[in-house]
Amino acid sequence: MEIPESEIFKAIFYEHYPIVKRKLTALVRDESAADDLAQEVFLRLYRNPPDDPAALGAWLHRVLTRIGYDYLDKKARERRLQNKQEQLYEVGESPPSGEEVLISKLDQEDVHEWLNELPDRDRQALLLRYSGYSYAEIAGELGLRPPVVGTLLHRATQRLRQNAAKSLSQTE
């Protein structure tokens, strides 16, 4: 088959386009994409028609199937890439800047100073609690009864806040 004449190509297009589009829509499950892909099928028909005009239907089916599967493969690759990028952005937060590291270190030093101003039992209770120990475990470590731990932690927290407030008011 030679390059189709304009009128012959129009007749083939109008006759086969609805079938090609319907098959592509069923394959890719996206009507607007199927529209674009159907145009690609007929563009290939215009540029490189089959040698045997009697095999036009089979040729169109083979080309539309190949184009449809290529489209689906492309979409799957795009989804995988997008998922990979989303995982990278979720996991890989930017490392802290030098300024943030310095401020964090200074804050930690301040907290250590405030903790060192507390009585030993208060400091130990707070450190155990913020290390993930339960009230019962803290009581066991400090040799206390479990009901006393809550009161001890509350008072130790109050003293720590007072030390912080006093220190911060002196620096201003």
Side-chain angles (χ1 to χ4, degrees):
M1 187 174 182
E2 299 177 6
I3 292 179
E5 297 295 323
S6 183
E7 292 303 317
I8 296 171
F9 183 77
K10 278 183 185 178
I12 293 171
F13 178 82
Y14 287 124
E15 178 183 347
H16 292 279
Y17 182 82
I19 298 165
V20 169
K21 184 179 176 220
R22 186 178 67 244
K23 287 180 178 181
L24 281 167
T25 302
L27 181 63
V28 299
R29 304 213 185 279
D30 180 356
E31 195 162 340
S32 63
D35 247 348
D36 294 339
L37 296 174
Q39 290 177 18
E40 177 66 25
V41 169
F42 284 99
L43 186 60
R44 286 189 189 181
L45 174 65
Y46 187 80
R47 289 181 180 160
N48 189 19
D51 294 331
D52 182 11
L56 180 65
W59 187 93
L60 285 173
H61 182 74
R62 186 176 68 244
V63 171
L64 80 85
T65 303
R66 185 172 299 141
I67 286 175
Y69 283 132
D70 287 347
Y71 172 81
L72 292 173
D73 288 343
K74 177 184 171 191
K75 286 298 179 188
R77 282 191 309 272
E78 288 173 357
R79 275 194 306 277
R80 283 193 305 270
L81 178 62
Q82 184 177 4
N83 290 340
K84 188 182 282 186
Q85 288 174 338
E86 287 172 358
Q87 289 173 353
L88 286 175
Y89 285 120
E90 288 173 2
V91 172
E93 294 181 15
S94 63
S97 68
E99 181 181 357
E100 292 171 338
V101 170
L102 180 62
I103 289 172
S104 175
K105 188 173 182 180
L106 290 174
D107 288 345
Q108 289 175 4
E109 289 173 2
D110 288 342
V111 170
H112 282 289
E113 285 179 30
W114 302 331
L115 280 169
N116 287 333
E117 294 174 10
L118 294 175
D120 286 341
R121 190 170 80 161
D122 290 355
R123 181 177 50 254
Q124 287 177 338
L126 286 174
L127 290 174
L128 289 171
R129 182 63 183 153
Y130 290 103
S131 295
Y133 283 65
S134 69
Y135 280 28
E137 292 169 325
I138 295 171
E141 287 287 323
L142 298 178
L144 302 171
R145 293 176 313 150
V148 176
V149 173
T151 305
L152 175 67
L153 287 172
H154 177 72
R155 289 182 182 159
T157 303
Q158 292 298 342
R159 287 187 188 115
L160 182 64
R161 284 185 184 146
Q162 289 170 356
N163 289 348
K166 183 172 62 174
S167 176
L168 291 174
S169 67
Q170 289 174 357
T171 59
E172 291 180 348

